[in-house]
Amino acid sequence: MDSNAIMDNAIIEPRDDMEFDSHEDAYTFYKEYAKSVGFGTAKLSSRRSRASREFIDAKFSCIRYGNKQQSDDAINPRPSPKIGCKASMHVKRRPNGKWYIYSFVKEHNHELLPAQAHFFRSHRNADPLKNDVRVRRRKNLTAVSKLFSAYQNVDCLESYMRNQHDKGRSLVLEPGDAQILLEHFMHMQEENPRFFYAVDLNEEHRLRNVFWVDAKGVEDYTTFGDVVSFDTTYFTNKYKIPLVFFIGVNHHIQPTLLGCALIADETHYTFVWLMQTWLIAMGERAPRVILSDQNNAIKVAVSAIFPGTHHCYCLWHVLEKIPRQLEFLSMWYDTFMAKFNKCIYKSWTEEQFERRWWKLINRFNLRELEWVQSLYEDRTHWVPTFMKDLSFAGLSTPLRSESLNSVFDKYIQGETSLIDFMKRYREILEDRYEEEAKANFDAWHETPELKSPSPFEKQMSLVYTHEIFKKFQVEVLGAAACHLKKENEDEMTTIYTVKDFEDNQNYAVEWNESKLDIYCSCRSFEYKGYLCRHAIVVLQMSGVFNIPSKYILQRWTNAAKSRHSIGERLDEVQSKVRRFNDLCRRAIILGEEGSLSPESYNIALCAIKEALKQCAIVNNPVENDTRNMTSTTPAICAVEVNQCGNSSNEIVPDPKVTNGNKAPRRAGAGKEVASNENSLSNKGKVPQPEAVNIGIQDGFLQMVCVLAPLHLFSI
């Protein structure tokens, strides 16, 4: 049978009467067959003729073919894709040059994944346009929302204090935008009741500020909420839509969208309202570090709402302002930047920074410049010298183009309208989910390649995700180009100078062997979250051949979403890993048996639910008791803060109010909104329950809560 004829028709199962022009054609056919069925492929073996040196034999298989041995004492080992599957296709060459199927094994010992087949590397299309997620996701937009289901509760906002004198402006939108925006929110909430949104209104019920976050953003924050970037770039650059983002980063170094907002201005009130609303949406758990632009209003809001959070400025926010603020130094720009970079990047101590800073300021006569004065006053918010013991997880880079924030630039341009953005917002969510799912898939099915005999490389290959490991691997290999020299030693610490021949720079490394503390002046750990080559070479020369656990951030590991810390004792971790591997093997067997019939499926499912329930009781007795005592109907709410303010082109209807956690009760009615041609229609409104009045001086707060049906959250 001609191979081209096979490929032109629907994919069919391999048969004995098939023929192919070459073994590559045979493999192409097997790959297409595998993609339609739902498994990845690999070229298992091939053989050439000793006489003609031409291929005469080839065997292709499922990627789970064979077995791979892995040490049980490895920390957090990545599961091997090889689990003894026998599925394969063996082809041989006839004397006439045609290839035929010598043998074919159809049966697999694992679940087939036709819906996820495009994740297997053997099926990834090299053409980025054909491989675009948007080509696949257009089929069913409603189904996408189900990917974000089953996330944690968000409590209703019950109170909020504001400064009554901080009036600000109203949100300027195109006619009809407010109606479209709120209808979109209600639609998102119908798809997933844990979608959260809040609107801030003036006393005329015109939009001032709007905030929203999808359920997956809330869930991502529970795991990756240590560092958050508050990005106001699109607002400050005067884009058509006044958009700001809360951005995080996951364990695959991919940006996570933790919230969006449309804001009317940059006043203290706006940022305080926004930070407070975002904090409540995130379960009232503040981040350890929040990054932002250098802005006094943001600075005030962060200190008020997140008193225990380290507020830092993104390096690129500071550095990109230098050409504009110091335009008069254009003739000496290169000289200035060389001195400036030496001051902020090479100052090991605060005293050294102070000395270099004032020398730089005096040399270029910058003492009277207000912006330069503000940089010095805020030095603890941005100068690397003051960032010891912090970690920015790669969110603070010297250039915006290098930052994860720039990923969103492809969705938003200067003239992007609100309607266009709300369409692209779905694309953002879907693309983020797709890329994370792809990275998780790779982590499960692939093992990184080791490029050296380094014990550090071997250790972290079993711990880090692929993306972080590749970056750490560069540091391990780069350690060969470093030479260290001991400079000073006392009872506690030793100071080394490390010469890096790759960039021809010297770095200071401070090592405390008793506490296993190590600091490098390149500050890789603070800004990237993993140790640098300079620290690695010091550890190696000190006889330490494992990265200390304090320098292995769980957020970068394959166990990032685990509830348990990887900082436990080694024997406990190893014991946990062995139990995990054993349960995985047994789960595969249960899956095979349980999927054979509806009856066996129901038996297996009931057993899993009961086992999961019992394990949760054993592992979290206090948490389960608390949950049983405080269980209430979940609710998602939109917050409306009414206040005095200027007029806007958009008027929002006056919804009645309910408290999602208490029985409704009557309260005084609010002002009635006069209808006009810009007023919102009743189309798509949530049914209006009774109102609860929450008093605030010179204003009042309203909440619109949509109660989630109980059956959506039952297990």
Side-chain angles (χ1 to χ4, degrees), residues 414-478:
E415 294 303 313
T416 299
S417 67
L418 180 63
I419 296 176
D420 289 337
F421 172 71
M422 296 315 295
K423 295 177 182 177
R424 295 174 189 178
Y425 175 70
R426 279 186 175 272
E427 295 181 5
I428 294 174
L429 298 184
E430 293 161 13
D431 289 353
R432 294 298 97 222
Y433 182 89
E434 183 89 0
E435 290 182 17
E436 182 178 349
K438 179 179 174 182
N440 286 334
F441 189 89
D442 287 346
W444 177 261
H445 288 89
E446 298 178 7
T447 302
E449 176 188 0
L450 299 182
K451 297 182 179 180
S452 77
S454 168
F456 301 112
E457 185 183 13
K458 182 178 180 181
Q459 175 197 8
M460 302 318 295
S461 70
L462 301 173
V463 177
Y464 280 153
T465 61
H466 283 9
E467 292 72 16
I468 282 292
F469 175 73
K470 289 174 183 177
K471 293 180 177 293
F472 178 76
Q473 191 176 52
V474 171
E475 299 303 312
V476 171
L477 299 177

Side-chain angles (χ1 to χ4, degrees), residues 559-627:
K561 296 188 177 183
S562 171
R563 293 174 299 169
H564 305 289
S565 171
I566 63 172
E568 300 169 1
R569 291 188 298 117
L570 181 61
D571 57 345
E572 294 176 351
V573 174
Q574 292 171 341
S575 177
K576 185 189 303 179
V577 167
R578 282 191 288 269
R579 294 194 299 270
F580 177 82
N581 289 340
D582 182 63
L583 287 174
C584 286
R585 286 190 286 267
R586 294 176 186 272
I588 290 173
I589 297 172
L590 177 62
E592 293 170 1
E593 291 295 328
S595 61
L596 294 179
S597 69
E599 292 78 11
S600 61
Y601 169 79
N602 289 330
I603 293 172
L605 187 61
C606 290
I608 290 173
K609 288 183 177 180
E610 181 60 26
L612 185 60
K613 180 179 178 181
Q614 295 300 322
C615 288
I617 292 173
V618 171
N619 293 330
N620 304 288
V622 176
E623 180 181 333
N624 279 276
D625 291 342
T626 304
R627 185 180 302 151

